[in-house]
PDB file of all heavy atoms in Angstrom:
ATOM      1  N   VAL A 154      69.816 129.775  61.786  1.00  0.00           N
ATOM      2  CA  VAL A 154      70.101 128.752  60.782  1.00  0.00           C
ATOM      3  C   VAL A 154      68.857 128.260  60.081  1.00  0.00           C
ATOM      4  O   VAL A 154      68.785 127.942  58.930  1.00  0.00           O
ATOM      5  CB  VAL A 154      70.902 127.535  61.453  1.00  0.00           C
ATOM      6  CG1 VAL A 154      71.207 126.469  60.391  1.00  0.00           C
ATOM      7  CG2 VAL A 154      72.244 128.053  61.967  1.00  0.00           C
ATOM      8  N   ASN A 155      67.801 128.113  60.977  1.00  0.00           N
ATOM      9  CA  ASN A 155      66.540 127.657  60.485  1.00  0.00           C
ATOM     10  C   ASN A 155      65.973 128.567  59.322  1.00  0.00           C
ATOM     11  O   ASN A 155      65.279 128.066  58.426  1.00  0.00           O
ATOM     12  CB  ASN A 155      65.521 127.433  61.543  1.00  0.00           C
ATOM     13  CG  ASN A 155      65.099 128.620  62.321  1.00  0.00           C
ATOM     14  OD1 ASN A 155      65.579 129.730  62.110  1.00  0.00           O
ATOM     15  ND2 ASN A 155      64.270 128.465  63.286  1.00  0.00           N
ATOM     16  N   LEU A 156      66.274 129.861  59.491  1.00  0.00           N
ATOM     17  CA  LEU A 156      65.751 130.737  58.330  1.00  0.00           C
ATOM     18  C   LEU A 156      66.474 130.394  57.016  1.00  0.00           C
ATOM     19  O   LEU A 156      65.832 130.374  55.975  1.00  0.00           O
ATOM     20  CB  LEU A 156      65.960 132.210  58.735  1.00  0.00           C
ATOM     21  CG  LEU A 156      65.220 132.645  59.983  1.00  0.00           C
ATOM     22  CD1 LEU A 156      65.745 134.089  60.368  1.00  0.00           C
ATOM     23  CD2 LEU A 156      63.688 132.583  59.747  1.00  0.00           C
ATOM     24  N   ILE A 157      67.767 130.229  57.079  1.00  0.00           N
ATOM     25  CA  ILE A 157      68.552 129.923  55.903  1.00  0.00           C
ATOM     26  C   ILE A 157      68.117 128.544  55.279  1.00  0.00           C
ATOM     27  O   ILE A 157      67.855 128.489  54.121  1.00  0.00           O
ATOM     28  CB  ILE A 157      70.062 129.900  56.183  1.00  0.00           C
ATOM     29  CG1 ILE A 157      70.447 131.366  56.678  1.00  0.00           C
ATOM     30  CG2 ILE A 157      70.809 129.485  55.056  1.00  0.00           C
ATOM     31  CD1 ILE A 157      71.855 131.389  57.334  1.00  0.00           C
ATOM     32  N   ILE A 158      67.876 127.522  56.277  1.00  0.00           N
ATOM     33  CA  ILE A 158      67.557 126.252  55.665  1.00  0.00           C
ATOM     34  C   ILE A 158      66.148 126.257  55.130  1.00  0.00           C
ATOM     35  O   ILE A 158      65.801 125.689  54.095  1.00  0.00           O
ATOM     36  CB  ILE A 158      67.556 125.215  56.940  1.00  0.00           C
ATOM     37  CG1 ILE A 158      68.961 125.009  57.295  1.00  0.00           C
ATOM     38  CG2 ILE A 158      66.983 123.826  56.545  1.00  0.00           C
ATOM     39  CD1 ILE A 158      69.990 124.651  56.362  1.00  0.00           C
ATOM     40  N   THR A 159      65.189 127.079  55.686  1.00  0.00           N
ATOM     41  CA  THR A 159      63.911 127.249  55.182  1.00  0.00           C
ATOM     42  C   THR A 159      63.976 127.803  53.743  1.00  0.00           C
ATOM     43  O   THR A 159      63.144 127.407  52.834  1.00  0.00           O
ATOM     44  CB  THR A 159      63.015 128.102  56.155  1.00  0.00           C
ATOM     45  OG1 THR A 159      62.967 127.432  57.349  1.00  0.00           O
ATOM     46  CG2 THR A 159      61.562 128.141  55.576  1.00  0.00           C
ATOM     47  N   ILE A 160      64.757 128.849  53.574  1.00  0.00           N
ATOM     48  CA  ILE A 160      64.967 129.387  52.214  1.00  0.00           C
ATOM     49  C   ILE A 160      65.393 128.368  51.283  1.00  0.00           C
ATOM     50  O   ILE A 160      64.913 128.277  50.094  1.00  0.00           O
ATOM     51  CB  ILE A 160      65.866 130.672  52.274  1.00  0.00           C
ATOM     52  CG1 ILE A 160      65.168 131.783  53.100  1.00  0.00           C
ATOM     53  CG2 ILE A 160      66.223 131.022  50.908  1.00  0.00           C
ATOM     54  CD1 ILE A 160      65.997 132.895  53.361  1.00  0.00           C
ATOM     55  N   ILE A 161      66.452 127.601  51.689  1.00  0.00           N
ATOM     56  CA  ILE A 161      67.032 126.619  50.768  1.00  0.00           C
ATOM     57  C   ILE A 161      65.914 125.534  50.380  1.00  0.00           C
ATOM     58  O   ILE A 161      65.770 125.150  49.224  1.00  0.00           O
ATOM     59  CB  ILE A 161      68.217 125.892  51.347  1.00  0.00           C
ATOM     60  CG1 ILE A 161      69.338 126.919  51.514  1.00  0.00           C
ATOM     61  CG2 ILE A 161      68.641 124.662  50.598  1.00  0.00           C
ATOM     62  CD1 ILE A 161      70.517 126.471  52.284  1.00  0.00           C
ATOM     63  N   VAL A 162      65.246 125.062  51.425  1.00  0.00           N
ATOM     64  CA  VAL A 162      64.144 124.005  51.197  1.00  0.00           C
ATOM     65  C   VAL A 162      63.059 124.442  50.337  1.00  0.00           C
ATOM     66  O   VAL A 162      62.721 123.789  49.328  1.00  0.00           O
ATOM     67  CB  VAL A 162      63.640 123.608  52.605  1.00  0.00           C
ATOM     68  CG1 VAL A 162      62.420 122.631  52.419  1.00  0.00           C
ATOM     69  CG2 VAL A 162      64.666 122.707  53.292  1.00  0.00           C
ATOM     70  N   TYR A 163      62.520 125.749  50.608  1.00  0.00           N
ATOM     71  CA  TYR A 163      61.487 126.312  49.761  1.00  0.00           C
ATOM     72  C   TYR A 163      61.944 126.486  48.332  1.00  0.00           C
ATOM     73  O   TYR A 163      61.303 126.326  47.291  1.00  0.00           O
ATOM     74  CB  TYR A 163      61.022 127.548  50.247  1.00  0.00           C
ATOM     75  CG  TYR A 163      59.894 127.388  51.293  1.00  0.00           C
ATOM     76  CD1 TYR A 163      59.397 128.518  52.036  1.00  0.00           C
ATOM     77  CD2 TYR A 163      59.371 126.091  51.618  1.00  0.00           C
ATOM     78  CE1 TYR A 163      58.434 128.295  53.040  1.00  0.00           C
ATOM     79  CE2 TYR A 163      58.291 126.012  52.600  1.00  0.00           C
ATOM     80  CZ  TYR A 163      57.871 127.051  53.267  1.00  0.00           C
ATOM     81  OH  TYR A 163      56.980 126.851  54.122  1.00  0.00           O
ATOM     82  N   LEU A 164      63.292 126.927  48.104  1.00  0.00           N
ATOM     83  CA  LEU A 164      63.778 127.062  46.768  1.00  0.00           C
ATOM     84  C   LEU A 164      63.942 125.742  46.061  1.00  0.00           C
ATOM     85  O   LEU A 164      63.412 125.544  44.876  1.00  0.00           O
ATOM     86  CB  LEU A 164      65.159 127.665  46.853  1.00  0.00           C
ATOM     87  CG  LEU A 164      65.914 127.794  45.490  1.00  0.00           C
ATOM     88  CD1 LEU A 164      65.147 128.865  44.575  1.00  0.00           C
ATOM     89  CD2 LEU A 164      67.323 128.434  45.640  1.00  0.00           C
ATOM     90  N   LYS A 165      64.389 124.685  46.699  1.00  0.00           N
ATOM     91  CA  LYS A 165      64.365 123.304  46.107  1.00  0.00           C
ATOM     92  C   LYS A 165      62.989 122.757  45.929  1.00  0.00           C
ATOM     93  O   LYS A 165      62.724 122.102  44.888  1.00  0.00           O
ATOM     94  CB  LYS A 165      65.175 122.358  47.079  1.00  0.00           C
ATOM     95  CG  LYS A 165      66.615 122.724  47.196  1.00  0.00           C
ATOM     96  CD  LYS A 165      67.358 122.646  45.869  1.00  0.00           C
ATOM     97  CE  LYS A 165      68.789 122.910  46.019  1.00  0.00           C
ATOM     98  NZ  LYS A 165      69.499 122.880  44.769  1.00  0.00           N
TER      99      LYS A 165
END
Side-chain angles (χ1 to χ4, degrees):
V154 175
N155 63 0
L156 298 173
I157 297 165
I158 296 304
T159 301
I160 291 170
I161 293 169
V162 168
Y163 276 173
L164 178 61
K165 295 294 183 183

